[in-house]
Every structure is written in C-alpha cells, then in structure tokens.
Amino acid sequence: MASSRRPMVSALAVGAVLLAAVSLIVATLLLDNQTSDQSDAAEMPSATLPSVNMDPVYAFLGDSYTAGAKAGGLSKSFPRDVCRAKTARCVINGQDGTGFISTGNTLDGVSAYGDRILKLSDRGNGDKPSLIVVQGGLSDPGTAAVRTAASRVFAALKTAYPNARVLVVGPVQPRAFDPAVVTANRIAMRAAAADAGLRFLDPIGERWIQDRAMFDADGKHLTASGYQVFADQIVLAINQVLSTPGASG
C-alpha cells in the first residue's frame, strides 16, 4: 500500500511546482507591462495652455492732451502714465482739436468723440475696456449744445460698453484759451456727467495745475510734468472708484 501512494504524492508535488512557476511568469509579465505603461506616460509631453493676459483694458477718449501733444507723444502722455501705474493695457484715442462737437481739422482724418466710440476696444484681441476716461473741454465752442452732445456720447459709451466704469475729466485753463469758453465747456461737461451718473473730475476746481511752468511755451498744452500730475490725479480717482462697490463712474 505504501509503495502505491508514492507516485501520486510526487505528481502532486510536481504539479504544485509547475503552477507556482506559471504564476511567477504571469506576475512578472504583468509587472513589466505596468511599468512600461507608467514610463510611457511619464515621457509624454504635458499639454501647454495658451497664456491669457489678465490685465484690465483702460481706454482714453480725448483731444491733444490725451495724445500727449508737446510732451513727446503717446509714450509721454497721461494715459500711458495711468496705465503703467495700474498695470493696465492702454487704448488711447486722442485727436488734436476735437471734442464733443468739434471735429478738428477733418483734412487730418480726425473726428468728434461720438464718431470714435467703437474704436476703444483693445485692437490686439478685441477685449472691451473695463474703464474709460473721457477728457475734453478745450476745443468745443462753449455753447449750450456741448451739454447735449456730451450727453449723447456718454449714453453711447454705456450702450457700447455696459460693463465699463466711465470717468469724465474736464479742462485746465491754459493762457491761450478764452476763459469764458473753457468755463462754459467745463460746466456743460459736469452737467452732462451728472445727468448720466458719471464721476466728473474738475482740474480747475480741484487746482491740479498750480505751477505755470507745467504749461508748454505754446500756451496751450502741458509739459511732461504737467501730464504726470494729470495722470496722478486720475489714478487717485480710479482707486476711489474701484474701491466703491456699485459705483457708476
């Protein structure tokens, strides 16, 4: 009886060894495959998302002051100083001799403010401005029609850019301009801004430019220092407006 059992025991032992060997081979193959998949995944290049410029867009609509006349052009203009201070992208639309009514010298291809409203988006990617600064008061005729024209411009800005804050900046008083005309334009701009619920900045009433040396020798424009004062005052106003939830202008 003992001798008849030995082959059966040997067969069972051999089977167990073979099963263990097969299991080891399968496990090794699975581990190699998994390691290979992980290695391939590690070597795959990661997706690169396009960069997005999160800086706000500030737009400026005005006359030669907005264009930085006599101070070195756009690079020295008060809009550039404002945008640098606020880390904003700048859209500058300043044209000499223009206003809410005045079309300037049309031979130079310039036009009144109302005709340039749709040009205030960032031309690089079409982003609309989050803040718009409208500067003026020197080129218009000083009549009652200025208030009406300014009101139309402000209404059109709200329609075209409903999410933008709007600041209205009145004139200074250069010696080469009739004080009566400048005062009339200033009053008209302030009234139109109030009608539209917009913030009006009054460089004359707030005495922005006290040093006459900040005016250029032509008696019309500001020097670079004068434009810097202009910019500093506008930055202060922007900070106040942006820190006031729900402020309209």
Side-chain angles (χ1 to χ4, degrees), residues 61-63 66 98-100 113 134-139 169-172 185 189:
L61 178 64
D63 54 29
T66 293
T98 62
F100 296 100
Y113 292 177
V134 183
Q135 169 272 323
L138 292 178
S139 302
V169 183
V172 294
N185 287 333
M189 289 179 65

Side-chain angles (χ1 to χ4, degrees), residues 39-187:
S39 177
D40 291 344
E43 292 176 0
M44 290 178 63
S46 58
T48 302
L49 297 176
S51 60
V52 178
N53 192 333
M54 300 302 291
D55 293 337
V57 177
Y58 288 180
F60 298 80
L61 178 64
D63 54 29
S64 57
Y65 273 48
T66 293
K70 296 296 182 178
L74 294 181
S75 64
K76 300 291 185 180
S77 64
F78 79 82
R80 286 292 185 206
D81 291 334
V82 171
C83 291
R84 278 191 286 263
K86 299 300 294 180
T87 316
R89 287 175 282 162
C90 229
V91 176
I92 304 175
N93 196 304
Q95 295 183 358
D96 184 30
T98 62
F100 296 100
I101 291 177
S102 177
T103 57
N105 185 353
T106 54
L107 294 179
D108 294 334
V110 300
S111 56
Y113 292 177
D115 296 326
R116 290 144 51 193
I117 288 173
L118 297 181
K119 298 180 180 180
L120 298 181
S121 293
D122 185 351
R123 288 175 292 179
N125 52 25
D127 285 351
K128 291 187 175 183
S130 60
L131 182 135
I132 300 171
V133 176
V134 183
Q135 169 272 323
L138 292 178
S139 302
D140 280 320
T143 64
V146 174
R147 177 175 179 176
T148 301
S151 293
R152 288 174 180 165
V153 168
F154 299 153
L157 286 171
K158 285 187 172 183
T159 298
Y161 311 103
N163 297 320
R165 304 286 185 92
V166 179
L167 294 178
V168 182
V169 183
V172 294
Q173 181 57 72
R175 59 181 171 80
F177 287 85
D178 183 348
V181 173
V182 173
T183 297
N185 287 333
R186 171 187 171 218
I187 292 172

